[in-house]
Amino acid sequence: MASMMQPQIILLKEGTDTSQGKAQLVSNINACMAVADVVRTTLGPRGMDKLIHDEKGNTTISNDGATIMKLLDIIHPAAKILVDIAKSQDSEVGDGTSTVVLLAGEFLKEAKPFIEEGVHPQNLIRSYRTASNMAIEKVKELAVSIEGKSLEEKKSLLAKCAATTLSSKLIGGEKEFFAPMVVDAVLAIGNDDRLNMIGIKKVPGGNMRDSFLVNGVAFKKTFSYAGFEQQPKKFVDPKILLLNIELELKSEKENAEIRLSDPAQYQSIVDAEWNIIYDKLDKCVKSGAKVVLSRLAIGDLATQYFADRDIFCAGRVAEEDLQRVAAATGGTVQTTVNNVIDEVLGSCELFEEKQVGNERFNIFSGCPSGKTATIVLRGGADQFIEESERSLHDAIMIVRRALKNSTVVPGGGAIDMEISRFLRHHARTIQGKSQLFINSYAKALEIIPRQLCDNAGFDATDVLNKLRQKHALPSGEGAPYGVDINTGGIADAFANFVWEPAVVKINAINAATEAACLILSVDETVKNPKSESAQGDAAASAMGGRGRGGGRGRGMRRR
């Protein structure tokens, strides 16, 4: 009786929301499954696109998992973990972002019945980690190296990898056109790891096939003053001077105060200003450069001065473009025009100003240092070109990865089916509950081929049964068989050149397992009322999250 009279001990501040135990775990799993459902339909060559409209009125059409996750504005704390793994997959390997979210969602879905039946999450986590390590080892074992091939062979193999990535994108219909272009762009920058050395310039209008690759630098014509039309628009083997100074006639800008005792002295000050600018321009001309680029403004006096001497100039060139010109032509950006020596000047085989659609482009081609390339993208609507750029970014990342880690695995769900078969077989050899857990992990891996079939409108059960039967062959010849998107049957993914770098699969399995284990290890959520902002109500309701939709006041909100 005395114990019942004890006052309640209050540890946390009033208004603190705590949710704990099995119900909280199941609620987190439901939220993550809801996120996976959003990107589920975007997987594969027949995946659908999402149109996302934000509060600023911007419209984005995309089927790139990372882009969708970024724009979804998810507020459920557990579901945010899936956003993070999509971002990490995107920055590490560039592709497989939908795959990683889908796998994590499926691992949790398979774990849910065990949690509801009272299995301790740590047992599940241990088994999942074991299965993940075995799966990664199996991927490495099945990977085929493309090292030691001739350049032509390597190019064609890399183009196959790029085509596999592009096939699931909006520009998949033109993958034969874009894949070699991507490979050439990546090979052009050599071992340089800076991705911004491949520029992508977007010009609305024209056809997708009007897109072209410049083996050098291309950038949009900058703002010009009167006189620029008199400048030559084409040079062969020009010397290029890169500056970071203003070539403009400016009155003293430091608010200097000059007291004059005689009006005649004023003229000498004006003359001094003119002499300074003419001195600078003379030095530019004497350097022998035929193309002068500056990050800062080149005024009307300088423009006309250069035009009279058959020199091309462009001011206010973007920092990124100037750095790429420097890398390509072998020039160095100067902060003064004094003592300009030949070593700091760049050179290229051909410079020309060219009309592309509505825009004029300055194009430097045949650059000696290589190290950079520019893809000029054409197409209809702005959203379409934006999505084309994202698609090419994924393909460029994949080709770079395949070049660095030169092992590939069959795509089309083949590798997933093979790992699934391997893990099922292994599960039968162990005793205890972990047999069930590893089996459920193996089943979750089948989501990739299943979803590829669903998105293409095929009977997933029928195709998966064929795949299981093929992969179960004792000779191991069924290992490269995956879903054939064109016929609705199964086909040898290696023979059909549906390849992806092994690193994509390894990273996806690793990240998805880590995310699933992290979510399974959380059994309590504490929400501090002090951290509530103007959006407090929405964020608070997310804690009890049942998954999808701001409409029901819980879980994930999409804008």
Side-chain angles (χ1 to χ4, degrees):
M1 191 69 185
S3 65
M4 288 175 69
M5 299 296 288
Q6 280 180 355
Q8 185 187 359
I9 296 170
I10 297 171
L11 273 180
L12 300 171
K13 198 172 162 185
E14 190 184 343
T16 303
D17 176 18
T18 63
S19 321
Q20 63 191 128
K22 193 196 294 182
Q24 175 61 32
L25 198 48
V26 171
S27 140
N28 284 347
I29 291 174
N30 287 342
C32 294
M33 281 160 59
V35 175
D37 283 341
V38 176
V39 295
R40 192 178 288 279
T41 55
T42 66
L43 187 77
R46 299 280 187 273
M48 307 297 278
D49 295 344
K50 304 285 177 200
L51 190 151
I52 300 165
H53 188 256
D54 64 18
E55 72 266 25
K56 291 180 189 153
N58 299 329
T59 306
T60 309
I61 298 174
S62 179
N63 77 351
D64 176 44
T67 306
I68 295 167
M69 300 296 274
K70 236 178 272 173
L71 294 171
L72 271 183
D73 196 15
I74 292 167
I75 56 170
H76 190 287
K80 272 186 179 166
I81 294 168
L82 295 195
V83 180
D84 293 339
I85 59 166
K87 281 183 188 164
S88 82
Q89 177 81 2
D90 192 43
S91 61
E92 180 60 28
V93 284
D95 196 27
T97 45
S98 304
T99 304
V100 75
V101 174
L102 210 50
L103 278 176
E106 203 62 19
F107 291 151
L108 290 167
K109 184 180 174 183
E110 290 296 328
K112 189 178 163 188
F114 293 120
I115 296 292
E116 285 169 338
E117 284 164 21
V119 171
H120 196 284
Q122 285 302 337
N123 292 343
L124 268 166
I125 290 170
R126 200 177 310 120
S127 298
Y128 272 17
R129 289 224 163 103
T130 306
S132 156
N133 292 335
M134 292 180 69
I136 288 168
E137 285 308 312
K138 189 69 178 167
V139 173
K140 287 177 180 168
E141 190 185 309
L142 291 167
V144 175
S145 176
I146 59 170
E147 202 54 76
K149 303 270 197 287
S150 70
L151 184 63
E152 281 311 308
E153 268 185 293
K154 211 172 223 183
K155 272 174 113 170
S156 104
L157 297 176
L158 291 169
K160 304 277 186 344
C161 286
T164 304
T165 300
L166 290 171
S167 63
S168 65
K169 307 290 182 196
L170 202 59
I171 55 175
E174 301 288 352
K175 64 181 179 188
E176 303 304 329
F177 174 72
F178 282 111
M181 189 187 284
V182 168
V183 174
D184 288 342
V186 174
L187 291 174
I189 65 168
N191 295 326
D192 198 325
D193 269 350
R194 290 174 297 170
L195 201 60
N196 60 1
M197 284 294 130
I198 298 178
I200 299 181
K201 302 293 176 188
K202 303 177 289 255
V203 186
N207 188 334
M208 264 196 304
R209 282 188 173 263
D210 294 340
S211 306
F212 58 92
L213 174 75
V214 176
N215 214 341
V217 187
F219 57 84
K220 209 179 284 185
K221 179 159 185 57
T222 55
F223 174 81
S224 304
Y225 289 93
F228 78 94
E229 283 298 5
Q230 295 164 21
Q231 296 177 348
K233 301 291 183 248
K234 187 172 180 179
F235 291 105
V236 177
D237 282 333
K239 288 265 187 281
I240 300 156
L241 176 61
L242 307 170
L243 300 172
N244 191 10
I245 53 173
E246 275 183 332
L247 293 177
E248 228 173 341
L249 184 65
K250 286 223 160 171
S251 50
E252 185 57 60
K253 60 182 176 193
E254 305 300 330
N255 290 333
E257 185 177 312
I258 303 173
R259 292 173 186 256
L260 304 174
S261 53
D262 179 3
Q265 292 172 335
Y266 178 68
Q267 188 58 43
S268 66
I269 292 165
V270 174
D271 288 345
E273 285 173 354
W274 281 81
N275 289 338
I276 290 167
I277 181 84
Y278 274 129
D279 181 47
K280 283 183 182 175
L281 297 176
D282 268 344
K283 283 174 177 162
C284 292
V285 174
K286 279 179 186 153
S287 70
K290 283 294 179 190
V291 178
V292 179
L293 303 181
S294 178
R295 201 174 73 79
L296 302 171
I298 293 181
D300 44 4
L301 170 74
T303 306
Q304 188 62 57
Y305 188 91
F306 287 137
D308 294 343
R309 286 155 183 77
D310 285 343
I311 293 174
F312 176 90
C313 69
R316 297 200 180 102
V317 178
E319 171 79 30
E320 185 191 336
D321 289 331
L322 201 65
Q323 291 302 339
R324 285 180 42 239
V325 172
T329 61
T332 313
V333 179
Q334 300 297 299
T335 50
T336 173
V337 289
N338 294 326
N339 196 23
V340 174
I341 52 173
D342 269 358
E343 280 73 44
V344 300
L345 296 178
S347 64
C348 68
E349 282 173 21
L350 180 67
F351 165 81
E352 58 182 331
E353 191 171 290
K354 210 169 164 187
Q355 191 80 18
V356 180
N358 248 355
E359 309 283 354
R360 276 206 200 166
F361 270 76
N362 296 331
I363 297 173
F364 299 82
S365 48
C367 300
S369 306
K371 297 284 189 302
T372 181
T374 310
I375 296 172
V376 179
L377 265 184
R378 306 296 311 278
D382 281 346
Q383 287 95 333
F384 181 82
I385 299 184
E386 294 285 339
E387 175 61 4
S388 303
E389 183 190 12
R390 282 190 289 270
S391 307
L392 286 180
H393 170 264
D394 282 11
I396 286 167
M397 290 288 281
I398 282 300
V399 173
R400 281 174 74 224
R401 283 282 166 254
L403 206 55
K404 283 221 163 64
N405 312 299
S406 51
T407 52
V408 293
V409 291
I415 190 82
D416 307 88
M417 285 304 290
E418 185 60 20
I419 298 168
S420 178
R421 180 203 63 76
F422 167 70
L423 287 176
R424 276 178 207 273
H425 185 72
H426 172 75
R428 292 195 197 103
T429 64
I430 50 179
Q431 55 183 5
K433 291 177 190 163
S434 58
Q435 184 187 89
L436 295 169
F437 306 152
I438 289 180
N439 218 25
S440 71
Y441 187 97
K443 188 184 171 195
L445 287 168
E446 289 185 352
I447 186 62
I448 302 297
R450 181 182 293 280
Q451 200 58 51
L452 287 173
C453 294
D454 285 345
N455 290 352
F458 302 140
D459 182 346
T461 311
D462 189 35
V463 176
L464 276 175
N465 284 340
K466 283 182 190 167
L467 276 174
R468 284 195 198 105
Q469 182 257 332
K470 196 76 180 171
H471 282 261
L473 291 173
S475 59
E477 66 186 55
Y481 274 76
V483 181
D484 186 346
I485 291 296
N486 300 320
T487 63
I490 65 172
D492 187 331
F494 252 129
N496 286 354
F497 307 116
V498 181
W499 300 348
E500 50 188 348
V503 67
V504 176
K505 225 45 202 174
I506 290 169
N507 217 63
I509 291 171
N510 219 339
T513 309
E514 283 300 322
C517 291
L518 190 60
I519 289 159
L520 287 172
S521 67
V522 173
D523 74 333
E524 180 169 3
T525 308
V526 181
K527 181 153 190 351
N528 191 338
K530 201 165 69 173
S531 64
E532 287 185 12
S533 58
Q535 296 177 330
D537 299 340
S541 66
M543 283 303 167
R546 197 175 56 206
R548 183 197 289 249
R552 283 177 282 180
R554 285 172 179 256
M556 188 181 73
R557 182 177 63 185
R558 281 191 286 162
R559 288 182 180 167

